[in-house]
Structures are given as C-alpha cells and as structure tokens.
Amino acid sequence: MKGIYKAFESLIVEKDYQHITVTELARRAEINKKTFYRYYPTLDDLLAELQNRYSEDYLKIIGDYEYPRDLEKSFRAFFEYSNKMGPAYDRISTNRVYSGIRQQMIDKVMLSTWDNSPEFKKLTDFEREVLLKYIENTGMQIYQQWVANDKTESIEDVIEITCKLVRGGTDAILHGNK
C-alpha cells in the first residue's frame, strides 16, 4: 500500500487530478492494474482513503485538546502537521479540484473536536455552524495563502496571526457581544 500512496502522491504533485490514470499509477507503483482494483474501485476511493489517513493522523495529535481552551494549540498542531506533510498534502489542501474531499476531512476534524465543548453546546445551531465555518475558513485561507507565498513567512508568524484572528472572533461568539 505504501507504494500506491507514494506513487499517487507524486502524481498529485505533478499533474492535475483529472489527468491521473489508474494505468499510470499502477506503472509508477510497480503493480498490476488488477491489484489496484482489488483495493480501490476508483481513484476517488484512493483519494478518500489518503485524505482519511491525513485526518486520522491529525486527530491523534489533537484528540485530547479541549475547545475553545486549546484553540491556539490546535492551530499550532495544524500548521506544524501540515508543514511536514509535503507537497501532495499542500496541493490537496490548496487546489480547488480537491475541495470536496478536503471538506470531508475538515468536517470530520471539526465535529470530532468541538462537539465535546460545553461552551460550544450552549450556542444555537446557527451560532455553532457560523463559528465552525469561521474557524475553518480562517485557518484554511491563511494556510492556503502561506503555501501560495511558498511558505516564506515563518511558521511562528503564521501561527500567531491565525491565533489572534480566530481567538478574537471565537471569544466574541462564546463570551459576549450578544
């Protein structure tokens, strides 16, 4: 399986997703096409598994965090984890073609973490939805901009600005201004 993942990730970096073929992937992974189809009905299924692996690994890091208290720790973990994942992860995280699968990962992470927050549970359904979208969009937009800038800004500066922006908005929703 590692060979399939490695070959797939290299193809993701090299070309647009819609131009990746099972034939090319099998050749690069040095497997038979039948072997690929034994494990995955389609390339989309392989992409979903890869993205699930990314989210599971990240959830292992932040699984014990309490929200909103550990929000800054969560963003630090997100940026540090994302930074070490490599170019295929960056492409999946930033390219519009991968938005559907990326959203599935984000939803899984957000619900796994915030659903345990007593403060979050006190909000109305609308407030919860808006808060999660705000946190998600702010973090992802900053990450995407950082990648677009070739990560020239220090990771510490990126984490700091993200935490300031998100903490201010989160505190306003959770603790007042109603």
mmCIF file of all heavy atoms in Angstrom, residues 122-147:
data_model
loop_
_atom_site.group_PDB
_atom_site.id
_atom_site.type_symbol
_atom_site.label_atom_id
_atom_site.label_comp_id
_atom_site.label_asym_id
_atom_site.label_seq_id
_atom_site.Cartn_x
_atom_site.Cartn_y
_atom_site.Cartn_z
ATOM 1 N N LYS A 122 -23.722 25.276 24.209
ATOM 2 C CA LYS A 122 -24.668 26.292 24.659
ATOM 3 C C LYS A 122 -25.124 27.216 23.526
ATOM 4 O O LYS A 122 -26.112 27.917 23.666
ATOM 5 C CB LYS A 122 -24.046 27.144 25.775
ATOM 6 C CG LYS A 122 -23.838 26.387 27.065
ATOM 7 C CD LYS A 122 -23.174 27.266 28.101
ATOM 8 C CE LYS A 122 -22.851 26.481 29.350
ATOM 9 N NZ LYS A 122 -22.100 27.294 30.333
ATOM 10 N N LEU A 123 -24.389 27.203 22.443
ATOM 11 C CA LEU A 123 -24.733 28.074 21.315
ATOM 12 C C LEU A 123 -25.932 27.518 20.557
ATOM 13 O O LEU A 123 -26.213 26.322 20.608
ATOM 14 C CB LEU A 123 -23.538 28.184 20.360
ATOM 15 C CG LEU A 123 -22.252 28.764 20.920
ATOM 16 C CD1 LEU A 123 -21.132 28.674 19.873
ATOM 17 C CD2 LEU A 123 -22.446 30.203 21.382
ATOM 18 N N THR A 124 -26.596 28.384 19.830
ATOM 19 C CA THR A 124 -27.681 27.924 18.962
ATOM 20 C C THR A 124 -27.058 27.145 17.796
ATOM 21 O O THR A 124 -25.848 27.251 17.539
ATOM 22 C CB THR A 124 -28.487 29.107 18.387
ATOM 23 O OG1 THR A 124 -27.643 29.854 17.497
ATOM 24 C CG2 THR A 124 -29.021 30.006 19.500
ATOM 25 N N ASP A 125 -27.875 26.409 17.085
ATOM 26 C CA ASP A 125 -27.373 25.662 15.923
ATOM 27 C C ASP A 125 -26.714 26.609 14.926
ATOM 28 O O ASP A 125 -25.636 26.314 14.396
ATOM 29 C CB ASP A 125 -28.504 24.902 15.227
ATOM 30 C CG ASP A 125 -28.984 23.701 16.027
ATOM 31 O OD1 ASP A 125 -28.261 23.261 16.952
ATOM 32 O OD2 ASP A 125 -30.075 23.184 15.701
ATOM 33 N N PHE A 126 -27.337 27.728 14.682
ATOM 34 C CA PHE A 126 -26.788 28.692 13.737
ATOM 35 C C PHE A 126 -25.441 29.216 14.213
ATOM 36 O O PHE A 126 -24.482 29.302 13.433
ATOM 37 C CB PHE A 126 -27.769 29.851 13.510
ATOM 38 C CG PHE A 126 -27.259 30.878 12.543
ATOM 39 C CD1 PHE A 126 -27.219 30.615 11.176
ATOM 40 C CD2 PHE A 126 -26.802 32.110 12.996
ATOM 41 C CE1 PHE A 126 -26.732 31.559 10.286
ATOM 42 C CE2 PHE A 126 -26.317 33.055 12.113
ATOM 43 C CZ PHE A 126 -26.283 32.780 10.751
ATOM 44 N N GLU A 127 -25.351 29.583 15.486
ATOM 45 C CA GLU A 127 -24.082 30.092 16.020
ATOM 46 C C GLU A 127 -22.981 29.038 15.927
ATOM 47 O O GLU A 127 -21.836 29.365 15.591
ATOM 48 C CB GLU A 127 -24.260 30.531 17.482
ATOM 49 C CG GLU A 127 -25.076 31.793 17.644
ATOM 50 C CD GLU A 127 -25.433 32.075 19.089
ATOM 51 O OE1 GLU A 127 -25.636 31.123 19.880
ATOM 52 O OE2 GLU A 127 -25.508 33.277 19.439
ATOM 53 N N ARG A 128 -23.310 27.781 16.208
ATOM 54 C CA ARG A 128 -22.318 26.702 16.096
ATOM 55 C C ARG A 128 -21.829 26.573 14.650
ATOM 56 O O ARG A 128 -20.628 26.458 14.399
ATOM 57 C CB ARG A 128 -22.903 25.375 16.575
ATOM 58 C CG ARG A 128 -22.998 25.270 18.078
ATOM 59 C CD ARG A 128 -23.261 23.838 18.521
ATOM 60 N NE ARG A 128 -24.560 23.350 18.114
ATOM 61 C CZ ARG A 128 -25.644 23.332 18.887
ATOM 62 N NH1 ARG A 128 -25.574 23.765 20.128
ATOM 63 N NH2 ARG A 128 -26.779 22.871 18.428
ATOM 64 N N GLU A 129 -22.763 26.578 13.712
ATOM 65 C CA GLU A 129 -22.391 26.459 12.296
ATOM 66 C C GLU A 129 -21.500 27.620 11.858
ATOM 67 O O GLU A 129 -20.489 27.415 11.183
ATOM 68 C CB GLU A 129 -23.644 26.408 11.424
ATOM 69 C CG GLU A 129 -24.438 25.128 11.576
ATOM 70 C CD GLU A 129 -25.803 25.187 10.913
ATOM 71 O OE1 GLU A 129 -26.058 26.142 10.129
ATOM 72 O OE2 GLU A 129 -26.609 24.282 11.160
ATOM 73 N N VAL A 130 -21.879 28.834 12.249
ATOM 74 C CA VAL A 130 -21.106 30.017 11.863
ATOM 75 C C VAL A 130 -19.721 29.979 12.501
ATOM 76 O O VAL A 130 -18.711 30.268 11.848
ATOM 77 C CB VAL A 130 -21.861 31.308 12.236
ATOM 78 C CG1 VAL A 130 -20.968 32.533 12.115
ATOM 79 C CG2 VAL A 130 -23.103 31.459 11.373
ATOM 80 N N LEU A 131 -19.648 29.612 13.771
ATOM 81 C CA LEU A 131 -18.362 29.560 14.464
ATOM 82 C C LEU A 131 -17.430 28.541 13.810
ATOM 83 O O LEU A 131 -16.261 28.833 13.539
ATOM 84 C CB LEU A 131 -18.554 29.218 15.940
ATOM 85 C CG LEU A 131 -17.267 29.093 16.766
ATOM 86 C CD1 LEU A 131 -16.490 30.409 16.761
ATOM 87 C CD2 LEU A 131 -17.591 28.665 18.182
ATOM 88 N N LEU A 132 -17.933 27.358 13.519
ATOM 89 C CA LEU A 132 -17.087 26.342 12.878
ATOM 90 C C LEU A 132 -16.623 26.786 11.498
ATOM 91 O O LEU A 132 -15.462 26.577 11.130
ATOM 92 C CB LEU A 132 -17.822 25.001 12.797
ATOM 93 C CG LEU A 132 -18.044 24.278 14.115
ATOM 94 C CD1 LEU A 132 -18.756 22.950 13.879
ATOM 95 C CD2 LEU A 132 -16.750 24.069 14.874
ATOM 96 N N LYS A 133 -17.509 27.392 10.733
ATOM 97 C CA LYS A 133 -17.120 27.881 9.402
ATOM 98 C C LYS A 133 -16.075 28.991 9.516
ATOM 99 O O LYS A 133 -15.133 29.054 8.718
ATOM 100 C CB LYS A 133 -18.335 28.382 8.615
ATOM 101 C CG LYS A 133 -19.131 27.282 8.003
ATOM 102 C CD LYS A 133 -18.300 26.581 6.943
ATOM 103 C CE LYS A 133 -19.025 25.403 6.367
ATOM 104 N NZ LYS A 133 -18.128 24.514 5.622
ATOM 105 N N TYR A 134 -16.245 29.868 10.495
ATOM 106 C CA TYR A 134 -15.285 30.952 10.709
ATOM 107 C C TYR A 134 -13.899 30.388 11.031
ATOM 108 O O TYR A 134 -12.901 30.772 10.416
ATOM 109 C CB TYR A 134 -15.781 31.866 11.844
ATOM 110 C CG TYR A 134 -14.759 32.857 12.309
ATOM 111 C CD1 TYR A 134 -14.422 33.951 11.520
ATOM 112 C CD2 TYR A 134 -14.130 32.702 13.535
ATOM 113 C CE1 TYR A 134 -13.478 34.869 11.946
ATOM 114 C CE2 TYR A 134 -13.190 33.612 13.968
ATOM 115 C CZ TYR A 134 -12.861 34.694 13.178
ATOM 116 O OH TYR A 134 -11.927 35.592 13.596
ATOM 117 N N ILE A 135 -13.841 29.451 11.953
ATOM 118 C CA ILE A 135 -12.565 28.850 12.345
ATOM 119 C C ILE A 135 -11.951 28.101 11.163
ATOM 120 O O ILE A 135 -10.771 28.252 10.845
ATOM 121 C CB ILE A 135 -12.758 27.924 13.564
ATOM 122 C CG1 ILE A 135 -13.116 28.756 14.798
ATOM 123 C CG2 ILE A 135 -11.511 27.080 13.817
ATOM 124 C CD1 ILE A 135 -13.615 27.936 15.962
ATOM 125 N N GLU A 136 -12.770 27.295 10.534
ATOM 126 C CA GLU A 136 -12.311 26.509 9.380
ATOM 127 C C GLU A 136 -11.789 27.401 8.268
ATOM 128 O O GLU A 136 -10.675 27.207 7.764
ATOM 129 C CB GLU A 136 -13.474 25.660 8.869
ATOM 130 C CG GLU A 136 -13.282 25.058 7.514
ATOM 131 C CD GLU A 136 -14.581 24.537 6.927
ATOM 132 O OE1 GLU A 136 -15.477 24.102 7.674
ATOM 133 O OE2 GLU A 136 -14.699 24.567 5.691
ATOM 134 N N ASN A 137 -12.588 28.370 7.860
ATOM 135 C CA ASN A 137 -12.203 29.215 6.731
ATOM 136 C C ASN A 137 -10.993 30.079 7.040
ATOM 137 O O ASN A 137 -10.117 30.245 6.183
ATOM 138 C CB ASN A 137 -13.381 30.076 6.278
ATOM 139 C CG ASN A 137 -14.444 29.261 5.584
ATOM 140 O OD1 ASN A 137 -14.159 28.239 4.980
ATOM 141 N ND2 ASN A 137 -15.681 29.707 5.683
ATOM 142 N N THR A 138 -10.932 30.617 8.241
ATOM 143 C CA THR A 138 -9.791 31.446 8.597
ATOM 144 C C THR A 138 -8.506 30.622 8.573
ATOM 145 O O THR A 138 -7.521 31.010 7.943
ATOM 146 C CB THR A 138 -9.994 32.097 9.976
ATOM 147 O OG1 THR A 138 -11.213 32.847 9.960
ATOM 148 C CG2 THR A 138 -8.834 33.015 10.330
ATOM 149 N N GLY A 139 -8.515 29.481 9.237
ATOM 150 C CA GLY A 139 -7.325 28.630 9.268
ATOM 151 C C GLY A 139 -6.907 28.170 7.887
ATOM 152 O O GLY A 139 -5.725 28.244 7.514
ATOM 153 N N MET A 140 -7.861 27.691 7.093
ATOM 154 C CA MET A 140 -7.531 27.189 5.756
ATOM 155 C C MET A 140 -7.090 28.302 4.817
ATOM 156 O O MET A 140 -6.159 28.123 4.033
ATOM 157 C CB MET A 140 -8.719 26.432 5.147
ATOM 158 C CG MET A 140 -8.887 25.029 5.675
ATOM 159 S SD MET A 140 -7.418 23.963 5.552
ATOM 160 C CE MET A 140 -7.137 23.898 3.790
ATOM 161 N N GLN A 141 -7.745 29.457 4.882
ATOM 162 C CA GLN A 141 -7.354 30.559 3.998
ATOM 163 C C GLN A 141 -5.937 31.030 4.316
ATOM 164 O O GLN A 141 -5.155 31.326 3.403
ATOM 165 C CB GLN A 141 -8.346 31.722 4.103
ATOM 166 C CG GLN A 141 -9.686 31.430 3.479
ATOM 167 C CD GLN A 141 -9.584 31.217 1.979
ATOM 168 O OE1 GLN A 141 -8.882 31.923 1.278
ATOM 169 N NE2 GLN A 141 -10.274 30.211 1.485
ATOM 170 N N ILE A 142 -5.605 31.104 5.585
ATOM 171 C CA ILE A 142 -4.254 31.522 5.948
ATOM 172 C C ILE A 142 -3.251 30.458 5.516
ATOM 173 O O ILE A 142 -2.197 30.777 4.956
ATOM 174 C CB ILE A 142 -4.152 31.837 7.455
ATOM 175 C CG1 ILE A 142 -4.988 33.094 7.765
ATOM 176 C CG2 ILE A 142 -2.693 32.020 7.876
ATOM 177 C CD1 ILE A 142 -5.141 33.396 9.232
ATOM 178 N N TYR A 143 -3.576 29.194 5.713
ATOM 179 C CA TYR A 143 -2.674 28.131 5.274
ATOM 180 C C TYR A 143 -2.494 28.178 3.755
ATOM 181 O O TYR A 143 -1.368 28.095 3.245
ATOM 182 C CB TYR A 143 -3.195 26.750 5.697
ATOM 183 C CG TYR A 143 -2.233 25.657 5.315
ATOM 184 C CD1 TYR A 143 -1.056 25.471 6.033
ATOM 185 C CD2 TYR A 143 -2.469 24.847 4.216
ATOM 186 C CE1 TYR A 143 -0.144 24.504 5.661
ATOM 187 C CE2 TYR A 143 -1.563 23.866 3.841
ATOM 188 C CZ TYR A 143 -0.403 23.701 4.575
ATOM 189 O OH TYR A 143 0.501 22.745 4.190
ATOM 190 N N GLN A 144 -3.579 28.323 3.033
ATOM 191 C CA GLN A 144 -3.502 28.377 1.578
ATOM 192 C C GLN A 144 -2.681 29.578 1.101
ATOM 193 O O GLN A 144 -1.891 29.466 0.158
ATOM 194 C CB GLN A 144 -4.911 28.395 0.967
ATOM 195 C CG GLN A 144 -5.612 27.070 1.134
ATOM 196 C CD GLN A 144 -7.078 27.099 0.753
ATOM 197 O OE1 GLN A 144 -7.668 28.142 0.544
ATOM 198 N NE2 GLN A 144 -7.683 25.922 0.673
ATOM 199 N N GLN A 145 -2.839 30.710 1.760
ATOM 200 C CA GLN A 145 -2.046 31.889 1.396
ATOM 201 C C GLN A 145 -0.575 31.657 1.702
ATOM 202 O O GLN A 145 0.301 32.049 0.921
ATOM 203 C CB GLN A 145 -2.559 33.130 2.122
ATOM 204 C CG GLN A 145 -1.906 34.413 1.659
ATOM 205 C CD GLN A 145 -2.165 34.664 0.184
ATOM 206 O OE1 GLN A 145 -3.303 34.676 -0.261
ATOM 207 N NE2 GLN A 145 -1.113 34.874 -0.593
ATOM 208 N N TRP A 146 -0.293 31.030 2.816
ATOM 209 C CA TRP A 146 1.090 30.727 3.197
ATOM 210 C C TRP A 146 1.736 29.822 2.149
ATOM 211 O O TRP A 146 2.865 30.055 1.711
ATOM 212 C CB TRP A 146 1.099 30.088 4.586
ATOM 213 C CG TRP A 146 2.448 29.882 5.197
ATOM 214 C CD1 TRP A 146 3.486 30.785 5.249
ATOM 215 C CD2 TRP A 146 2.895 28.719 5.869
ATOM 216 N NE1 TRP A 146 4.548 30.230 5.919
ATOM 217 C CE2 TRP A 146 4.219 28.967 6.316
ATOM 218 C CE3 TRP A 146 2.316 27.489 6.156
ATOM 219 C CZ2 TRP A 146 4.960 28.028 7.027
ATOM 220 C CZ3 TRP A 146 3.062 26.556 6.871
ATOM 221 C CH2 TRP A 146 4.365 26.827 7.294
ATOM 222 N N VAL A 147 1.021 28.793 1.710
ATOM 223 C CA VAL A 147 1.530 27.894 0.674
ATOM 224 C C VAL A 147 1.709 28.663 -0.639
ATOM 225 O O VAL A 147 2.733 28.516 -1.315
ATOM 226 C CB VAL A 147 0.594 26.674 0.483
ATOM 227 C CG1 VAL A 147 0.999 25.858 -0.739
ATOM 228 C CG2 VAL A 147 0.608 25.792 1.736
#
